Amino acid sequence: ANIQSTEWIAQSLVSAAEQWHPNFLYCYFPHLDYAAQKFGPDSPQALASLGELDRVLGEFVAGIDAAYEQIPEQDRQPPLYII
């Protein structure tokens, strides 16, 4: 899997959060896992993947936060992140 696959997963989850505001949302971002398995955990490719994944996760968390900010404050329960 390349970073585009992980970006698609993250964007899809943000879209789902915007539409349905689920109480539980589980996801797996494969990018770093695949690079570490293919090239080794300390390889330049795995380290580069870590930087790419960090960017995507930052965008993901910002998108999820924005999705839940649409809910009136008295009804809002902040999401719990387990990544």
Side-chain angles (χ1 to χ4, degrees):
N2 57 28
I3 194 63
Q4 288 81 19
S5 299
T6 296
E7 288 171 333
W8 181 86
I9 293 166
Q11 292 165 356
S12 296
L13 291 167
V14 169
S15 293
E18 290 170 346
Q19 187 171 358
W20 294 295
H21 305 106
N23 292 324
F24 180 78
L25 184 63
Y26 177 82
C27 60
Y28 168 68
F29 297 110
H31 187 59
L32 179 61
D33 197 24
Y34 289 159
Q37 289 176 11
K38 185 173 182 179
F39 301 107
D42 297 322
S43 67
Q45 295 91 335
L47 296 176
S49 294
L50 181 61
E52 293 173 332
L53 183 60
D54 182 62
R55 176 187 55 79
V56 172
L57 289 177
E59 294 169 357
F60 170 71
V61 169
I64 294 291
D65 283 344
Y68 283 85
E69 287 175 3
Q70 299 172 14
I71 301 170
E73 191 168 341
Q74 68 272 13
D75 298 329
R76 187 181 318 156
Q77 294 186 8
L80 170 66
Y81 298 104
I82 301 173
I83 299 174

Coordinates of all heavy atoms in Angstrom, one line a residue:
A1 N 0.9 -1.2 0.0 CA 0.0 0.0 0.0 C 0.9 1.2 0.0 O 1.9 1.3 0.7 CB -0.9 0.0 1.2
N2 N 0.5 2.2 -0.8 CA 1.2 3.4 -0.8 C 0.5 4.5 0.0 O -0.6 4.3 0.6 CB 1.5 3.9 -2.2 CG 0.2 4.1 -3.0 OD1 -0.8 4.3 -2.4 ND2 0.3 3.9 -4.3
I3 N 1.1 5.7 0.1 CA 0.5 6.7 0.9 C -0.8 7.2 0.4 O -1.7 7.6 1.2 CB 1.5 7.9 1.1 CG1 1.1 8.9 2.2 CG2 1.7 8.7 -0.2 CD1 1.0 8.3 3.6
Q4 N -1.1 7.0 -0.9 CA -2.4 7.4 -1.4 C -3.5 6.5 -0.8 O -4.6 7.0 -0.6 CB -2.4 7.3 -3.0 CG -1.6 8.4 -3.6 CD -0.1 8.2 -3.6 OE1 0.4 7.0 -3.5 NE2 0.7 9.2 -3.8
S5 N -3.2 5.2 -0.6 CA -4.2 4.4 0.0 C -4.5 4.8 1.4 O -5.7 4.9 1.8 CB -3.7 2.9 0.1 OG -3.4 2.4 -1.2
T6 N -3.5 5.2 2.2 CA -3.7 5.6 3.5 C -4.4 7.0 3.5 O -5.3 7.2 4.4 CB -2.4 5.7 4.3 OG1 -1.8 4.4 4.4 CG2 -2.5 6.3 5.7
E7 N -4.1 7.9 2.6 CA -4.8 9.1 2.5 C -6.3 8.9 2.2 O -7.2 9.6 2.8 CB -4.2 10.0 1.4 CG -2.9 10.6 1.8 CD -2.2 11.3 0.6 OE1 -2.4 10.9 -0.6 OE2 -1.3 12.1 0.9
W8 N -6.6 8.0 1.3 CA -8.0 7.7 1.0 C -8.7 7.1 2.2 O -9.9 7.5 2.4 CB -8.0 6.6 -0.2 CG -9.4 6.3 -0.6 CD1 -10.2 7.0 -1.5 CD2 -10.2 5.3 -0.1 NE1 -11.4 6.4 -1.6 CE2 -11.5 5.3 -0.7 CE3 -10.0 4.3 0.8 CZ2 -12.5 4.5 -0.5 CZ3 -11.1 3.4 1.1 CH2 -12.3 3.5 0.5
I9 N -8.1 6.3 2.9 CA -8.8 5.8 4.2 C -9.1 6.9 5.1 O -10.2 7.0 5.6 CB -7.9 4.7 4.8 CG1 -7.8 3.4 3.9 CG2 -8.4 4.3 6.2 CD1 -6.7 2.5 4.3
A10 N -8.1 7.7 5.3 CA -8.3 8.9 6.3 C -9.4 9.8 5.8 O -10.2 10.2 6.6 CB -6.9 9.6 6.4
Q11 N -9.3 10.2 4.5 CA -10.4 11.0 4.0 C -11.8 10.4 4.0 O -12.8 11.1 4.3 CB -10.0 11.5 2.5 CG -8.8 12.3 2.5 CD -8.2 12.4 1.1 OE1 -8.7 11.8 0.1 NE2 -7.2 13.3 0.9
S12 N -11.8 9.1 3.8 CA -13.1 8.4 3.9 C -13.7 8.5 5.3 O -14.9 8.7 5.5 CB -13.0 7.0 3.4 OG -12.6 7.0 2.1
L13 N -12.8 8.3 6.3 CA -13.3 8.3 7.7 C -13.7 9.7 8.1 O -14.7 9.8 8.8 CB -12.1 7.8 8.6 CG -11.8 6.3 8.4 CD1 -10.5 6.0 9.1 CD2 -13.0 5.5 9.0
V14 N -13.0 10.7 7.6 CA -13.4 12.1 7.9 C -14.8 12.4 7.3 O -15.6 12.9 8.0 CB -12.3 13.1 7.5 CG1 -12.9 14.5 7.5 CG2 -11.1 13.0 8.3
S15 N -15.0 11.9 6.1 CA -16.3 12.1 5.4 C -17.4 11.4 6.2 O -18.5 11.9 6.4 CB -16.3 11.6 4.0 OG -15.4 12.4 3.2
A16 N -17.1 10.2 6.7 CA -18.1 9.5 7.5 C -18.4 10.2 8.8 O -19.5 10.3 9.2 CB -17.6 8.0 7.8
A17 N -17.3 10.7 9.4 CA -17.5 11.4 10.7 C -18.4 12.7 10.5 O -19.2 13.1 11.3 CB -16.2 11.8 11.3
E18 N -18.1 13.4 9.4 CA -18.9 14.6 9.0 C -20.4 14.3 8.8 O -21.3 15.0 9.3 CB -18.3 15.3 7.8 CG -17.0 15.9 8.0 CD -16.4 16.3 6.7 OE1 -16.8 15.9 5.6 OE2 -15.4 17.1 6.7
Q19 N -20.7 13.1 8.2 CA -22.0 12.8 7.9 C -22.8 12.1 9.1 O -23.9 12.5 9.3 CB -22.1 11.8 6.7 CG -23.5 11.6 6.2 CD -23.5 10.8 4.9 OE1 -22.4 10.5 4.3 NE2 -24.6 10.5 4.4
W20 N -22.1 11.2 9.8 CA -22.8 10.4 10.8 C -22.4 10.7 12.3 O -23.1 10.2 13.2 CB -22.7 8.9 10.5 CG -23.4 8.6 9.2 CD1 -24.7 8.6 8.9 CD2 -22.8 8.1 8.0 NE1 -25.0 8.2 7.7 CE2 -23.8 7.9 7.1 CE3 -21.4 7.8 7.6 CZ2 -23.5 7.4 5.8 CZ3 -21.2 7.4 6.4 CH2 -22.2 7.2 5.5
H21 N -21.3 11.3 12.5 CA -20.8 11.6 13.9 C -20.9 10.3 14.7 O -21.5 10.3 15.8 CB -21.6 12.7 14.5 CG -21.6 13.9 13.8 ND1 -22.7 14.4 13.1 CD2 -20.6 14.9 13.5 CE1 -22.4 15.5 12.5 NE2 -21.2 15.8 12.7
P22 N -20.2 9.2 14.3 CA -20.3 8.0 15.1 C -19.6 8.1 16.4 O -18.8 8.9 16.7 CB -19.5 7.0 14.2 CG -18.5 7.9 13.4 CD -19.2 9.2 13.2
N23 N -20.1 7.3 17.4 CA -19.6 7.3 18.7 C -18.3 6.4 18.7 O -17.5 6.6 19.7 CB -20.6 6.7 19.7 CG -21.7 7.6 19.9 OD1 -21.6 8.8 19.9 ND2 -22.9 7.0 20.0
F24 N -18.1 5.5 17.8 CA -17.0 4.7 17.7 C -16.5 4.6 16.2 O -17.3 4.4 15.4 CB -17.3 3.3 18.2 CG -16.1 2.3 18.2 CD1 -15.1 2.4 19.1 CD2 -16.0 1.4 17.2 CE1 -14.0 1.5 19.0 CE2 -14.9 0.5 17.1 CZ -13.9 0.6 18.0
L25 N -15.3 4.8 16.0 CA -14.7 4.8 14.7 C -13.4 4.1 14.7 O -12.5 4.5 15.4 CB -14.5 6.2 14.1 CG -14.1 6.4 12.7 CD1 -15.1 5.8 11.7 CD2 -13.9 7.9 12.4
Y26 N -13.2 3.0 14.0 CA -12.0 2.2 14.1 C -11.4 2.2 12.7 O -12.1 2.1 11.7 CB -12.4 0.7 14.5 CG -11.2 -0.2 14.4 CD1 -10.3 -0.2 15.5 CD2 -10.9 -1.0 13.3 CE1 -9.2 -1.1 15.5 CE2 -9.8 -1.8 13.3 CZ -8.9 -1.9 14.4 OH -7.8 -2.7 14.4
C27 N -10.1 2.3 12.7 CA -9.4 2.3 11.4 C -8.0 1.8 11.5 O -7.4 1.7 12.6 CB -9.3 3.7 10.8 SG -8.5 4.9 11.8
Y28 N -7.5 1.4 10.4 CA -6.1 0.9 10.3 C -5.4 1.6 9.1 O -6.0 1.6 8.0 CB -6.1 -0.6 10.0 CG -4.8 -1.2 9.6 CD1 -3.8 -1.3 10.5 CD2 -4.6 -1.7 8.3 CE1 -2.5 -1.9 10.1 CE2 -3.4 -2.3 7.9 CZ -2.4 -2.4 8.8 OH -1.2 -2.9 8.4
F29 N -4.3 2.2 9.4 CA -3.5 2.9 8.3 C -2.3 2.1 8.0 O -1.4 1.9 8.7 CB -3.1 4.3 8.8 CG -4.2 5.2 9.1 CD1 -4.5 5.6 10.4 CD2 -5.0 5.7 8.1 CE1 -5.6 6.4 10.7 CE2 -6.1 6.6 8.4 CZ -6.4 6.9 9.7
P30 N -2.3 1.4 6.8 CA -1.4 0.4 6.5 C 0.0 0.9 6.0 O 1.0 0.1 6.0 CB -2.0 -0.4 5.3 CG -2.9 0.7 4.6 CD -3.4 1.5 5.8
H31 N 0.2 2.1 5.7 CA 1.4 2.6 5.0 C 2.7 2.3 5.7 O 3.6 1.7 5.2 CB 1.2 4.1 4.8 CG 2.3 4.7 3.9 ND1 2.6 4.3 2.7 CD2 3.3 5.6 4.2 CE1 3.6 4.9 2.1 NE2 4.0 5.8 3.1
L32 N 2.8 2.7 7.0 CA 4.0 2.4 7.7 C 4.3 0.9 7.9 O 5.4 0.5 7.8 CB 4.0 3.2 9.0 CG 5.3 3.0 9.9 CD1 6.5 3.5 9.2 CD2 5.1 3.7 11.3
D33 N 3.2 0.2 8.2 CA 3.4 -1.2 8.4 C 3.9 -1.9 7.2 O 4.9 -2.7 7.3 CB 2.0 -1.8 8.8 CG 2.1 -3.1 9.4 OD1 3.1 -3.5 10.0 OD2 1.0 -3.9 9.4
Y34 N 3.4 -1.6 6.0 CA 3.9 -2.2 4.8 C 5.3 -1.9 4.5 O 6.1 -2.8 4.1 CB 3.0 -1.9 3.6 CG 1.6 -2.5 3.7 CD1 0.6 -1.9 2.9 CD2 1.3 -3.6 4.4 CE1 -0.7 -2.5 2.9 CE2 0.1 -4.2 4.4 CZ -0.9 -3.6 3.7 OH -2.2 -4.1 3.7
A35 N 5.7 -0.6 4.7 CA 7.1 -0.2 4.4 C 8.1 -0.9 5.3 O 9.1 -1.4 4.9 CB 7.2 1.3 4.5
A36 N 7.7 -1.0 6.6 CA 8.6 -1.6 7.6 C 8.7 -3.1 7.3 O 9.8 -3.7 7.5 CB 8.1 -1.4 9.0
Q37 N 7.7 -3.8 6.9 CA 7.7 -5.2 6.6 C 8.5 -5.5 5.3 O 9.3 -6.4 5.3 CB 6.3 -5.8 6.5 CG 5.6 -5.9 7.8 CD 4.1 -6.3 7.6 OE1 3.8 -6.8 6.6 NE2 3.3 -6.2 8.7
K38 N 8.4 -4.6 4.4 CA 9.0 -4.9 3.1 C 10.5 -4.5 3.1 O 11.3 -5.3 2.6 CB 8.3 -4.1 2.0 CG 8.9 -4.3 0.6 CD 8.0 -3.6 -0.5 CE 8.5 -3.9 -1.9 NZ 7.7 -3.3 -2.9
F39 N 10.9 -3.4 3.8 CA 12.2 -2.9 3.7 C 13.0 -3.0 5.0 O 14.2 -2.8 5.1 CB 12.3 -1.5 3.2 CG 11.7 -1.3 1.9 CD1 10.4 -0.7 1.7 CD2 12.3 -1.7 0.8 CE1 9.9 -0.5 0.5 CE2 11.8 -1.5 -0.5 CZ 10.5 -0.9 -0.6
G40 N 12.3 -3.3 6.1 CA 12.9 -3.4 7.4 C 12.5 -2.2 8.3 O 12.3 -1.1 7.7
P41 N 12.3 -2.3 9.6 CA 11.8 -1.2 10.4 C 12.8 0.0 10.5 O 12.3 1.1 10.8 CB 11.6 -1.9 11.8 CG 12.5 -3.1 11.8 CD 12.6 -3.5 10.3
D42 N 14.1 -0.2 10.3 CA 15.0 0.9 10.4 C 15.5 1.4 9.0 O 16.4 2.2 8.9 CB 16.2 0.5 11.2 CG 15.8 0.2 12.7 OD1 14.9 0.9 13.2 OD2 16.4 -0.7 13.2
S43 N 14.8 0.9 8.0 CA 15.2 1.3 6.6 C 14.9 2.7 6.3 O 14.0 3.3 6.9 CB 14.5 0.4 5.6 OG 13.1 0.6 5.6
P44 N 15.6 3.3 5.3 CA 15.2 4.7 4.9 C 13.8 4.8 4.4 O 13.1 5.8 4.6 CB 16.2 5.0 3.7 CG 17.4 4.1 4.0 CD 16.8 2.8 4.6
Q45 N 13.3 3.7 3.7 CA 11.9 3.7 3.2 C 10.9 3.8 4.4 O 9.9 4.5 4.3 CB 11.7 2.5 2.4 CG 12.5 2.4 1.1 CD 13.8 1.7 1.3 OE1 14.4 1.6 2.3 NE2 14.3 1.2 0.2
A46 N 11.2 3.0 5.4 CA 10.3 3.0 6.6 C 10.3 4.4 7.3 O 9.3 4.9 7.7 CB 10.6 1.9 7.6
L47 N 11.5 4.9 7.4 CA 11.6 6.3 8.1 C 10.9 7.3 7.2 O 10.2 8.2 7.8 CB 13.1 6.6 8.3 CG 13.8 5.7 9.3 CD1 15.2 6.1 9.4 CD2 13.1 5.7 10.7
A48 N 11.0 7.2 5.9 CA 10.3 8.2 5.0 C 8.8 8.0 5.2 O 8.0 9.0 5.2 CB 10.7 8.0 3.6
S49 N 8.4 6.7 5.3 CA 6.9 6.4 5.4 C 6.4 7.0 6.7 O 5.2 7.4 6.8 CB 6.7 4.9 5.4 OG 7.0 4.4 4.1
L50 N 7.2 7.0 7.8 CA 6.8 7.6 9.0 C 6.5 9.1 8.9 O 5.5 9.5 9.4 CB 7.9 7.4 10.1 CG 7.7 7.9 11.5 CD1 6.5 7.2 12.1 CD2 8.9 7.7 12.3
G51 N 7.3 9.8 8.2 CA 7.0 11.2 7.9 C 5.8 11.4 7.1 O 5.0 12.3 7.4
E52 N 5.6 10.6 6.1 CA 4.3 10.7 5.3 C 3.1 10.4 6.2 O 2.1 11.1 6.1 CB 4.4 9.7 4.1 CG 5.4 10.1 3.1 CD 5.6 9.0 2.0 OE1 5.4 7.8 2.3 OE2 6.0 9.4 0.9
L53 N 3.2 9.3 7.0 CA 2.1 9.0 7.8 C 1.8 10.0 8.9 O 0.6 10.3 9.2 CB 2.3 7.6 8.5 CG 1.2 7.1 9.4 CD1 -0.1 6.9 8.5 CD2 1.6 5.8 10.0
D54 N 2.8 10.6 9.4 CA 2.6 11.7 10.4 C 1.8 12.9 9.8 O 0.9 13.4 10.4 CB 4.0 12.2 10.9 CG 3.9 13.3 11.9 OD1 3.3 13.0 13.0 OD2 4.3 14.4 11.7
R55 N 2.1 13.2 8.5 CA 1.3 14.3 7.9 C -0.1 13.9 7.7 O -1.0 14.6 8.0 CB 1.9 14.6 6.5 CG 1.1 15.6 5.7 CD 1.7 15.7 4.3 NE 1.7 14.5 3.5 CZ 0.7 13.9 2.9 NH1 -0.5 14.4 3.0 NH2 0.8 12.8 2.2
V56 N -0.4 12.6 7.2 CA -1.7 12.2 7.0 C -2.5 12.1 8.4 O -3.7 12.5 8.4 CB -1.8 10.8 6.3 CG1 -3.2 10.2 6.3 CG2 -1.2 10.9 4.9
L57 N -1.9 11.6 9.4 CA -2.5 11.6 10.7 C -2.9 12.9 11.2 O -3.9 13.1 11.8 CB -1.7 10.8 11.7 CG -1.5 9.3 11.5 CD1 -0.6 8.7 12.5 CD2 -2.9 8.6 11.5
G58 N -2.0 13.9 11.0 CA -2.3 15.3 11.4 C -3.5 15.8 10.7 O -4.4 16.4 11.3
E59 N -3.6 15.6 9.4 CA -4.8 16.0 8.6 C -6.0 15.2 9.1 O -7.1 15.8 9.2 CB -4.5 15.7 7.1 CG -3.4 16.6 6.6 CD -3.0 16.2 5.2 OE1 -3.5 15.2 4.6 OE2 -2.1 16.9 4.6
F60 N -5.9 13.9 9.4 CA -7.0 13.1 9.8 C -7.6 13.6 11.2 O -8.8 13.8 11.3 CB -6.5 11.7 10.0 CG -7.5 10.8 10.7 CD1 -8.7 10.4 10.1 CD2 -7.3 10.3 12.0 CE1 -9.6 9.5 10.7 CE2 -8.1 9.5 12.6 CZ -9.3 9.1 12.0
V61 N -6.7 13.9 12.1 CA -7.1 14.4 13.4 C -7.8 15.7 13.3 O -8.9 16.0 13.9 CB -6.0 14.4 14.4 CG1 -6.4 15.1 15.7 CG2 -5.5 13.0 14.8
A62 N -7.2 16.6 12.5 CA -7.9 17.9 12.3 C -9.2 17.8 11.6 O -10.2 18.5 12.0 CB -6.9 18.8 11.4
G63 N -9.4 16.9 10.7 CA -10.6 16.6 10.0 C -11.7 16.1 10.9 O -12.9 16.5 10.9
I64 N -11.3 15.1 11.8 CA -12.2 14.5 12.7 C -12.7 15.6 13.7 O -13.9 15.7 14.1 CB -11.6 13.3 13.4 CG1 -11.4 12.2 12.4 CG2 -12.5 12.9 14.6 CD1 -12.6 11.5 11.9
D65 N -11.7 16.4 14.2 CA -12.1 17.4 15.2 C -13.1 18.4 14.6 O -14.1 18.8 15.2 CB -10.8 18.2 15.6 CG -10.0 17.5 16.6 OD1 -10.5 16.5 17.2 OD2 -8.8 17.9 16.8
A66 N -12.8 18.8 13.3 CA -13.7 19.7 12.6 C -15.1 19.1 12.5 O -16.1 19.8 12.6 CB -13.1 20.1 11.3
A67 N -15.2 17.8 12.2 CA -16.5 17.1 12.0 C -17.3 17.2 13.2 O -18.5 17.4 13.2 CB -16.2 15.7 11.5
Y68 N -16.7 17.0 14.4 CA -17.4 17.0 15.6 C -17.7 18.4 16.2 O -18.6 18.6 17.0 CB -16.7 16.1 16.7 CG -16.9 14.7 16.4 CD1 -16.1 14.0 15.5 CD2 -17.9 14.0 17.0 CE1 -16.3 12.6 15.2 CE2 -18.2 12.6 16.7 CZ -17.3 12.0 15.8 OH -17.6 10.6 15.5
E69 N -17.0 19.4 15.7 CA -17.3 20.8 16.1 C -18.6 21.2 15.5 O -19.2 22.2 15.9 CB -16.1 21.7 15.7 CG -14.9 21.5 16.6 CD -13.7 22.3 16.1 OE1 -13.9 23.1 15.2 OE2 -12.7 22.2 16.8
Q70 N -19.1 20.5 14.5 CA -20.4 20.9 13.9 C -21.6 20.6 14.8 O -22.7 21.1 14.6 CB -20.6 20.1 12.6 CG -19.5 20.4 11.5 CD -19.7 19.5 10.3 OE1 -20.7 18.8 10.1 NE2 -18.7 19.5 9.5
I71 N -21.3 19.7 15.8 CA -22.4 19.3 16.7 C -22.5 20.4 17.8 O -21.5 20.9 18.3 CB -22.0 18.0 17.4 CG1 -21.8 16.9 16.3 CG2 -23.1 17.6 18.4 CD1 -21.3 15.6 16.9
P72 N -23.8 20.8 18.1 CA -23.9 21.8 19.2 C -23.2 21.3 20.5 O -23.1 20.2 20.8 CB -25.4 21.8 19.5 CG -26.0 21.3 18.2 CD -25.1 20.3 17.6
E73 N -22.5 22.3 21.1 CA -21.6 22.0 22.2 C -22.3 21.1 23.3 O -21.7 20.2 23.9 CB -21.0 23.2 22.8 CG -19.9 23.0 23.8 CD -19.1 24.2 24.1 OE1 -19.2 25.2 23.4 OE2 -18.4 24.1 25.2
Q74 N -23.5 21.4 23.6 CA -24.2 20.7 24.7 C -24.4 19.2 24.3 O -24.6 18.4 25.2 CB -25.6 21.3 25.1 CG -26.6 21.3 24.0 CD -26.6 22.4 23.1 OE1 -25.6 23.2 23.0 NE2 -27.7 22.6 22.3
D75 N -24.4 18.9 23.0 CA -24.6 17.5 22.6 C -23.3 16.8 22.2 O -23.3 15.6 21.9 CB -25.6 17.5 21.4 CG -26.9 18.0 21.7 OD1 -27.4 17.9 22.8 OD2 -27.6 18.6 20.8
R76 N -22.2 17.5 22.2 CA -21.0 17.0 21.7 C -20.2 16.2 22.7 O -20.1 16.5 23.9 CB -20.1 18.2 21.3 CG -18.8 17.8 20.6 CD -18.0 19.0 20.3 NE -18.8 20.2 19.8 CZ -18.4 21.4 19.8 NH1 -17.2 21.7 20.3 NH2 -19.1 22.4 19.3
Q77 N -19.8 15.0 22.2 CA -18.9 14.2 23.0 C -17.6 14.1 22.2 O -17.7 13.6 21.0 CB -19.5 12.8 23.3 CG -20.7 12.9 24.2 CD -21.1 11.5 24.5 OE1 -20.5 10.5 24.2 NE2 -22.3 11.4 25.2
P78 N -16.5 14.6 22.7 CA -15.3 14.5 21.9 C -14.9 13.1 21.5 O -15.1 12.2 22.3 CB -14.2 15.2 22.8 CG -14.8 15.1 24.2 CD -16.2 15.0 24.0
P79 N -14.3 13.0 20.3 CA -13.9 11.6 19.9 C -12.7 11.2 20.7 O -11.9 12.0 21.2 CB -13.5 11.8 18.4 CG -13.2 13.3 18.3 CD -14.1 14.0 19.3
L80 N -12.5 9.9 20.8 CA -11.4 9.3 21.5 C -10.5 8.7 20.4 O -11.0 8.0 19.5 CB -11.9 8.1 22.4 CG -10.8 7.2 23.0 CD1 -9.9 8.1 23.9 CD2 -11.4 6.1 23.7
Y81 N -9.2 9.0 20.4 CA -8.3 8.6 19.4 C -7.5 7.4 19.9 O -6.8 7.6 20.9 CB -7.4 9.7 18.9 CG -8.1 10.8 18.3 CD1 -8.3 12.0 18.9 CD2 -8.5 10.7 17.0 CE1 -8.9 13.1 18.4 CE2 -9.2 11.8 16.4 CZ -9.4 13.0 17.1 OH -10.0 14.0 16.5
I82 N -7.5 6.3 19.2 CA -6.6 5.2 19.5 C -6.0 4.8 18.2 O -6.7 4.2 17.3 CB -7.4 4.0 20.2 CG1 -8.0 4.4 21.5 CG2 -6.4 2.9 20.4 CD1 -8.9 3.4 22.1
I83 N -4.8 5.2 17.9 CA -4.2 5.0 16.6 C -3.0 4.0 16.8 O -2.3 4.2 17.6 CB -3.8 6.3 16.0 CG1 -5.0 7.2 15.8 CG2 -3.1 6.1 14.7 CD1 -4.7 8.6 15.3

